[in-house]
Amino acid sequence: MTSTKPFAAKRRQMAAFSSTKEVKSIYSSSKPITKETMHLIDSLKNLTITEYLSREVSPSYRLDQDESQFIERRDRVIVFVRIPLKLEKLILFGFFLAWDCFLFMLGMLPIRFILAIFSLFLSLFKKASIRPSQKCDLLRAFITAICCYCLAWIDLSQIYHLVRGQNVLKIWIIYNMLDVFDRLFATLGQDVMDSLFLTATEKSSKGRRRRHFSLFHHVGIASIYVLIHSMIMLLEVTTLNVAFNSHNKALLLIMSSNNFAELKGTVFKKFDKNNLFQLSCGDIRERFQLIIILFVVCLRNLKEFNWDPDHFAELLPDVLLILLSEISVDWVKHCFITKFNELDPLVYEDYRVTMANDLINSKRHDAYSDHCDEVSRKIALNPIPILCVLVKISYQLFSWDHVVMFHFIFIVIAVSIVLKCITGMILLKYSCNILKMRFLTEQRGHSPPLTLSEETSTSAVVNTPNPSALNTPLQDSFTAIIPENITCTELLEKKIQ
């Protein structure tokens, strides 16, 4: 007797390639045989060649006889076409949230570090402890400084020539391995930092023995993580730089085609709202990190050609090729995922509301976490390794004396503070508008409540941690947040605090 397991597996595979409604419509289209059908069969059996050609040349079918089915298919096509626009609005919003976190590390953290040092100095005389947020700022700055010092001993020129001496296949394998390790360390990063911050700020009771690692161990683990992740990103930059400078452009095309291999691993898997949200957050992180890497590669190439703008015009087609391949793969991936899993495109609006709600709630006076940490948890983007990579590249590109370097650092911090204030205020107002519109829509009864689906999927492989559910009603988001007439000075003081 033949086993039924292969047939069951085949049915599950077919279900992954087509939507449930489409399968049901195919099976329901087979109507029972009636007397009218029997008369039609008798007439068709006696058809002559002339009558057959007449039926084939001038058919008499009408689409409006099954109008509901065709309207459903037309709506499905319209939804399919609108997915890229919905996705890009979400990715653009998430990109600026990630940019805001990076500007925080570059501009606000030095000021907060100085204030934390001053508070620590005062606490030695007043016998008062510093705030938990200041302890976190001290640890961030300390880990960043340690990793930047360690990366300063790495000679990128030797690594560049070592990679360039390999053949095309080896470089492609190296780049794939680095991409996999980068994703793995991205999911681990914020967990390591959260463990460090909790250990540094938790209150220890007398007589209770600590059952986990001490603060010294957590600082060591976080430093090792940031150093390894920074080295992985440096190797990615070097490998991509080799591809840009190679005379054989086939290497760059092969590395760009890696994005299309991602379609096979995601499109034909089961996704629900939570899994799609995690996948979207991973796409935001990849888009932001890719732009940073391409920016660094362009800087290194322009440095080698004495900042010749003509050479940048030669690099621009390759940069656009990589960016367009990334964007096109994201579009195709999300279009077919929503089609196969019957997900409403309005789910991307819910994701934007989720991120806006996190931004608004992080500005409360009783917030339990900083907005930078919230974004890092959502999209698995730790800005510390990126900052260390940029410091390493800048130190190698600009060989200035200490006085000029000090002025350069001061200008970069000042510009970052200005950009941080502008970006933060725009994001706050935009987030408030998103939540107000959703609140009004919910009050009118045109939309379901603001929650992500609690369904879980065991077959989807994601790159980011699970998002926290939105348990806070929207009414609470407008009570203790930011007034509409906030000024740049007020926002700056709030960020420093």
Side-chain angles (χ1 to χ4, degrees):
M1 185 176 180
T2 305
S3 176
T4 60
K5 290 185 178 180
F7 296 100
K10 187 67 175 178
R11 284 196 297 269
R12 288 194 297 269
Q13 185 178 5
M14 290 177 59
F17 283 86
S18 58
S19 61
T20 307
K21 289 184 179 179
E22 190 172 353
V23 173
K24 288 182 179 179
S25 63
I26 293 175
Y27 287 125
S28 62
S29 61
S30 57
K31 300 178 181 179
I33 300 177
T34 60
K35 292 183 178 180
E36 183 180 356
T37 305
M38 294 302 299
H39 289 301
L40 179 61
I41 292 173
D42 294 336
S43 62
L44 292 177
K45 287 173 62 176
N46 300 322
L47 276 179
T48 61
I49 295 179
T50 306
E51 293 175 346
Y52 178 79
L53 288 176
S54 177
R55 287 174 178 268
E56 291 295 325
V57 172
S58 58
S60 60
Y61 66 86
R62 295 176 57 186
L63 297 181
D64 55 359
Q65 292 181 357
D66 196 2
E67 187 176 2
S68 60
Q69 179 180 356
F70 289 101
I71 289 177
E72 181 182 354
R73 293 179 180 273
R74 183 179 62 185
D75 294 339
R76 196 179 303 163
V77 172
I78 294 174
V79 168
F80 188 87
V81 174
R82 288 178 177 176
I83 289 295
L85 178 60
K86 301 287 187 182
L87 175 65
E88 285 303 316
K89 291 171 67 176
L90 172 66
I91 291 182
L92 188 63
F93 182 48
F95 178 87
F96 279 104
L97 289 175
W99 172 247
D100 184 69
C101 292
F102 176 73
L103 291 176
F104 161 79
M105 290 293 303
L106 198 59
M108 291 296 177
L109 184 61
I111 299 179
R112 292 170 62 163
F113 173 73
I114 295 174
L115 294 178
I117 290 292
F118 183 72
S119 299
L120 181 63
F121 180 75
L122 292 180
S123 64
L124 298 178
F125 298 96
K126 296 182 179 181
K127 296 182 179 180
S129 60
I130 62 176
R131 295 196 301 268
S133 60
Q134 292 179 330
K135 293 181 181 179
C136 297
D137 295 334
L138 290 174
L139 291 172
R140 285 193 186 98
F142 176 75
I143 292 174
T144 304
I146 289 295
C147 293
C148 289
Y149 176 77
C150 295
L151 291 177
W153 294 91
I154 298 177
D155 189 1
L156 292 181
S157 300
Q158 294 183 359
I159 298 177
Y160 175 83
H161 291 290
L162 180 63
V163 174
R164 190 169 185 175
Q166 310 300 321
N167 55 31
V168 175
L169 182 60
K170 286 185 178 180
I171 296 177
W172 177 67
I173 294 175
I174 290 173
Y175 187 78
N176 285 339
M177 292 174 59
L178 292 174
D179 183 59
V180 171
F181 281 112
D182 177 58
R183 296 187 183 190
L184 293 176
F185 275 88
T187 60
L188 179 66
Q190 194 55 38
D191 293 338
V192 173
M193 301 305 296
D194 287 340
S195 300
L196 171 63
F197 295 154
L198 177 62
T199 306
T201 58
E202 68 177 349
K203 298 179 181 179
S204 58
S205 303
K206 294 183 178 180
R208 188 182 65 179
R209 187 175 181 180
R210 191 185 292 268
R211 294 186 177 181
H212 48 77
F213 291 154
S214 64
L215 179 61
F216 177 78
H217 293 99
H218 279 284
V219 170
I221 293 173
S223 302
I224 293 173
Y225 152 72
V226 174
L227 181 61
I228 295 177
H229 199 178
S230 301
M231 293 177 62
I232 291 174
M233 293 186 63
L234 280 175
L235 290 175
E236 280 187 292
V237 170
T238 305
T239 308
L240 195 59
N241 195 19
V242 170
F244 270 80
N245 294 333
S246 62
H247 298 286
N248 186 9
K249 293 299 179 181
L251 176 60
L252 191 61
L253 292 175
I254 292 174
M255 295 173 67
S256 301
S257 64
N258 283 340
N259 296 322
F260 294 91
E262 186 181 356
L263 294 176
K264 182 180 179 181
T266 55
V267 168
F268 303 117
K269 290 184 177 180
K270 182 67 176 177
F271 278 84
D272 59 5
K273 285 186 177 182
N274 280 331
N275 298 126
L276 184 59
F277 178 69
Q278 297 165 25
L279 183 66
S280 303
C281 291
D283 293 335
I284 293 171
R285 182 194 65 84
E286 292 176 7
R287 186 82 62 89
F288 180 79
Q289 191 165 310
L290 178 63
I291 291 177
I292 295 293
I293 291 176
L294 291 175
F295 174 73
V296 173
V297 169
C298 291
L299 283 182
R300 294 190 64 182
N301 279 274
L302 290 176
K303 170 65 176 179
E304 296 297 328
F305 287 87
N306 296 323
W307 308 100
D308 186 9
D310 295 333
H311 184 67
F312 177 73
E314 298 177 2
L315 293 175
L316 190 59
D318 297 333
V319 173
L320 293 179
L321 172 65
I322 296 178
L323 284 177
L324 291 178
S325 64
E326 177 73 21
I327 294 174
S328 60
V329 166
D330 289 341
W331 287 4
V332 175
K333 178 174 61 178
H334 283 266
C335 285
F336 282 99
I337 285 176
T338 53
K339 179 183 184 298
F340 292 153
N341 296 275
E342 297 179 340
L343 296 175
D344 196 322
L346 293 178
V347 71
Y348 293 101
E349 300 293 336
D350 294 339
Y351 298 158
R352 280 200 303 153
V353 175
T354 301
M355 294 182 175
N357 197 44
D358 290 337
L359 174 60
I360 294 299
N361 287 324
S362 66
K363 304 304 177 182
R364 295 177 180 270
H365 295 290
D366 56 347
Y368 62 88
S369 180
D370 193 76
H371 170 60
C372 182
D373 296 329
E374 284 290 333
V375 175
S376 299
R377 295 187 193 99
K378 267 308 190 258
I379 65 178
L381 177 69
N382 193 346
I384 298 180
I386 299 177
L387 179 60
C388 294
V389 169
L390 290 179
V391 170
K392 168 63 180 177
I393 297 297
S394 301
Y395 182 77
Q396 185 182 20
L397 293 179
F398 308 106
S399 300
W400 298 329
D401 55 12
H402 297 289
V403 177
V404 178
M405 184 64 69
F406 176 78
H407 286 86
F408 175 74
I409 294 174
F410 179 78
I411 293 174
V412 169
I413 293 176
V415 173
S416 300
I417 292 174
V418 174
L419 293 177
K420 176 69 177 71
C421 294
I422 295 174
T423 306
M425 292 177 63
I426 293 175
L427 288 174
L428 286 175
K429 293 184 180 296
Y430 182 72
S431 300
C432 289
N433 291 333
I434 291 177
L435 293 184
K436 286 181 180 179
M437 292 297 296
R438 175 52 66 92
F439 176 73
L440 294 176
T441 305
E442 290 179 1
Q443 291 297 317
R444 295 170 184 169
H446 293 169
S447 176
L450 178 60
T451 54
L452 292 179
S453 173
E454 296 181 355
E455 300 175 357
T456 57
S457 175
T458 57
S459 60
V461 179
V462 295
N463 302 325
T464 55
N466 291 328
S468 57
L470 296 180
N471 297 325
T472 306
L474 288 181
Q475 293 90 332
D476 298 338
S477 300
F478 303 104
T479 56
I481 320 296
I482 301 125
E484 295 183 355
N485 56 350
I486 187 172
T487 62
C488 185
T489 305
E490 295 173 351
L491 179 62
L492 181 60
E493 292 177 354
K494 188 177 185 61
K495 282 291 180 183
I496 294 177
Q497 294 176 357

